[in-house]
Short mmCIF file of all heavy atoms in Angstrom, two decimals:
data_model
loop_
_atom_site.label_atom_id
_atom_site.label_comp_id
_atom_site.label_asym_id
_atom_site.label_seq_id
_atom_site.Cartn_x
_atom_site.Cartn_y
_atom_site.Cartn_z
N LEU A 306 -10.31 66.16 -10.11
CA LEU A 306 -10.05 67.19 -11.12
C LEU A 306 -11.12 67.15 -12.20
O LEU A 306 -11.64 68.19 -12.62
CB LEU A 306 -8.66 66.98 -11.73
CG LEU A 306 -8.26 67.95 -12.83
CD1 LEU A 306 -8.24 69.39 -12.31
CD2 LEU A 306 -6.90 67.57 -13.41
N MET A 309 -14.29 68.70 -10.88
CA MET A 309 -14.18 70.17 -10.80
C MET A 309 -14.32 70.79 -12.18
O MET A 309 -15.04 71.78 -12.35
CB MET A 309 -12.83 70.56 -10.19
CG MET A 309 -12.76 70.36 -8.70
SD MET A 309 -11.11 70.64 -7.98
CE MET A 309 -10.46 72.01 -8.87
N ILE A 310 -13.65 70.21 -13.17
CA ILE A 310 -13.70 70.76 -14.53
C ILE A 310 -15.11 70.63 -15.09
O ILE A 310 -15.67 71.58 -15.64
CB ILE A 310 -12.67 70.06 -15.43
CG1 ILE A 310 -11.25 70.49 -15.03
CG2 ILE A 310 -12.93 70.35 -16.90
CD1 ILE A 310 -10.15 69.71 -15.72
N ASP A 311 -15.70 69.45 -14.96
CA ASP A 311 -17.02 69.22 -15.56
C ASP A 311 -18.12 70.02 -14.89
O ASP A 311 -19.11 70.36 -15.54
CB ASP A 311 -17.36 67.72 -15.53
CG ASP A 311 -16.64 66.96 -16.62
OD1 ASP A 311 -16.19 67.60 -17.59
OD2 ASP A 311 -16.54 65.73 -16.50
N ASN A 312 -17.98 70.32 -13.61
CA ASN A 312 -19.02 71.06 -12.89
C ASN A 312 -18.79 72.56 -12.88
O ASN A 312 -19.58 73.30 -12.30
CB ASN A 312 -19.16 70.52 -11.47
CG ASN A 312 -19.71 69.11 -11.46
OD1 ASN A 312 -20.71 68.83 -12.09
ND2 ASN A 312 -19.03 68.21 -10.78
N SER A 313 -17.73 73.02 -13.52
CA SER A 313 -17.46 74.45 -13.58
C SER A 313 -18.44 75.13 -14.53
O SER A 313 -18.74 74.60 -15.60
CB SER A 313 -16.03 74.69 -14.09
OG SER A 313 -15.83 76.07 -14.31
N PRO A 314 -18.92 76.32 -14.16
CA PRO A 314 -19.80 77.06 -15.07
C PRO A 314 -19.01 77.71 -16.22
O PRO A 314 -19.60 78.20 -17.18
CB PRO A 314 -20.43 78.13 -14.17
CG PRO A 314 -19.43 78.34 -13.09
CD PRO A 314 -18.76 77.01 -12.88
N ASN A 315 -17.68 77.67 -16.14
CA ASN A 315 -16.83 78.22 -17.19
C ASN A 315 -16.62 77.20 -18.30
O ASN A 315 -16.66 76.00 -18.08
CB ASN A 315 -15.46 78.61 -16.63
CG ASN A 315 -15.59 79.68 -15.56
OD1 ASN A 315 -16.26 80.68 -15.75
ND2 ASN A 315 -14.97 79.44 -14.42
N VAL A 316 -16.37 77.71 -19.50
CA VAL A 316 -16.05 76.86 -20.64
C VAL A 316 -14.58 76.49 -20.52
O VAL A 316 -13.71 77.35 -20.50
CB VAL A 316 -16.33 77.60 -21.97
CG1 VAL A 316 -15.84 76.77 -23.15
CG2 VAL A 316 -17.81 77.92 -22.10
N ILE A 317 -14.28 75.19 -20.40
CA ILE A 317 -12.91 74.73 -20.23
C ILE A 317 -12.58 73.72 -21.31
O ILE A 317 -13.36 72.81 -21.59
CB ILE A 317 -12.71 74.10 -18.83
CG1 ILE A 317 -13.00 75.14 -17.74
CG2 ILE A 317 -11.29 73.54 -18.69
CD1 ILE A 317 -12.97 74.57 -16.33
N GLN A 318 -11.40 73.93 -21.92
CA GLN A 318 -10.94 73.03 -22.97
C GLN A 318 -9.45 72.77 -22.79
O GLN A 318 -8.74 73.59 -22.22
CB GLN A 318 -11.16 73.66 -24.33
CG GLN A 318 -10.35 74.94 -24.49
CD GLN A 318 -10.44 75.55 -25.86
OE1 GLN A 318 -10.78 74.86 -26.81
NE2 GLN A 318 -10.10 76.82 -25.97
N MET A 319 -9.00 71.63 -23.28
CA MET A 319 -7.58 71.32 -23.32
C MET A 319 -7.28 70.82 -24.73
O MET A 319 -8.05 70.02 -25.27
CB MET A 319 -7.22 70.25 -22.29
CG MET A 319 -7.45 70.68 -20.86
SD MET A 319 -7.40 69.30 -19.71
CE MET A 319 -5.65 69.19 -19.43
N LYS A 320 -6.16 71.33 -25.28
CA LYS A 320 -5.76 70.90 -26.62
C LYS A 320 -4.32 70.41 -26.58
O LYS A 320 -3.54 70.82 -25.72
CB LYS A 320 -5.81 72.08 -27.60
CG LYS A 320 -7.18 72.64 -27.89
CD LYS A 320 -7.06 73.81 -28.84
CE LYS A 320 -8.40 74.46 -29.11
NZ LYS A 320 -8.23 75.69 -29.92
N PHE A 326 -8.50 68.96 -29.72
CA PHE A 326 -9.12 68.91 -28.40
C PHE A 326 -8.84 67.55 -27.75
O PHE A 326 -9.12 66.51 -28.34
CB PHE A 326 -10.64 69.12 -28.48
CG PHE A 326 -11.02 70.52 -28.89
CD1 PHE A 326 -11.40 70.80 -30.19
CD2 PHE A 326 -11.00 71.55 -27.96
CE1 PHE A 326 -11.74 72.09 -30.58
CE2 PHE A 326 -11.35 72.85 -28.33
CZ PHE A 326 -11.72 73.12 -29.64
N ARG A 328 -9.60 67.33 -24.18
CA ARG A 328 -10.60 67.30 -23.10
C ARG A 328 -11.41 68.58 -23.14
O ARG A 328 -10.87 69.65 -23.36
CB ARG A 328 -9.93 67.15 -21.74
CG ARG A 328 -10.93 67.27 -20.59
CD ARG A 328 -10.30 67.02 -19.25
NE ARG A 328 -10.39 65.58 -19.03
CZ ARG A 328 -9.78 64.95 -18.05
NH1 ARG A 328 -9.02 65.61 -17.21
NH2 ARG A 328 -9.93 63.67 -17.89
N VAL A 329 -12.71 68.45 -22.96
CA VAL A 329 -13.59 69.61 -22.83
C VAL A 329 -14.54 69.31 -21.67
O VAL A 329 -14.82 68.16 -21.36
CB VAL A 329 -14.38 69.89 -24.12
CG1 VAL A 329 -13.45 70.25 -25.27
CG2 VAL A 329 -15.29 68.73 -24.51
N ASN A 330 -15.02 70.38 -21.04
CA ASN A 330 -15.95 70.15 -19.94
C ASN A 330 -17.40 70.18 -20.44
O ASN A 330 -17.67 70.44 -21.62
CB ASN A 330 -15.71 71.13 -18.79
CG ASN A 330 -16.12 72.56 -19.11
OD1 ASN A 330 -16.34 72.93 -20.26
ND2 ASN A 330 -16.22 73.37 -18.07
N ASP A 331 -18.32 69.92 -19.52
CA ASP A 331 -19.74 69.85 -19.89
C ASP A 331 -20.24 71.18 -20.45
O ASP A 331 -21.03 71.20 -21.39
CB ASP A 331 -20.58 69.46 -18.66
CG ASP A 331 -20.34 68.03 -18.21
OD1 ASP A 331 -19.79 67.24 -19.02
OD2 ASP A 331 -20.67 67.70 -17.06
N GLU A 332 -19.77 72.29 -19.88
CA GLU A 332 -20.21 73.61 -20.34
C GLU A 332 -19.74 73.87 -21.78
O GLU A 332 -20.47 74.45 -22.59
CB GLU A 332 -19.70 74.70 -19.40
CG GLU A 332 -20.27 76.06 -19.65
CD GLU A 332 -21.79 76.16 -19.47
OE1 GLU A 332 -22.41 75.29 -18.83
OE2 GLU A 332 -22.36 77.13 -20.00
N PHE A 333 -18.54 73.44 -22.10
CA PHE A 333 -18.03 73.57 -23.47
C PHE A 333 -18.91 72.77 -24.43
O PHE A 333 -19.29 73.27 -25.50
CB PHE A 333 -16.57 73.08 -23.53
CG PHE A 333 -15.88 73.35 -24.83
CD1 PHE A 333 -15.04 74.43 -24.97
CD2 PHE A 333 -16.06 72.51 -25.92
CE1 PHE A 333 -14.39 74.68 -26.18
CE2 PHE A 333 -15.43 72.75 -27.12
CZ PHE A 333 -14.58 73.84 -27.26
N ALA A 334 -19.22 71.55 -24.06
CA ALA A 334 -20.06 70.69 -24.91
C ALA A 334 -21.45 71.30 -25.08
O ALA A 334 -22.02 71.28 -26.17
CB ALA A 334 -20.16 69.29 -24.31
N LYS A 341 -19.42 65.45 -25.82
CA LYS A 341 -17.96 65.59 -25.68
C LYS A 341 -17.20 64.69 -26.65
O LYS A 341 -16.19 65.11 -27.22
CB LYS A 341 -17.53 65.26 -24.25
CG LYS A 341 -17.92 66.29 -23.24
CD LYS A 341 -17.25 65.91 -21.92
CE LYS A 341 -18.16 66.22 -20.77
NZ LYS A 341 -17.58 65.81 -19.50
#
Side-chain angles (χ1 to χ4, degrees):
L306 178 61
M309 285 173 38
I310 289 172
D311 282 341
N312 293 310
S313 172
N315 298 311
V316 173
I317 299 174
Q318 63 175 339
M319 296 166 85
K320 294 179 183 174
F326 291 101
R328 174 175 272 171
V329 297
N330 71 345
D331 292 342
E332 190 62 18
F333 188 99
K341 289 188 217 177

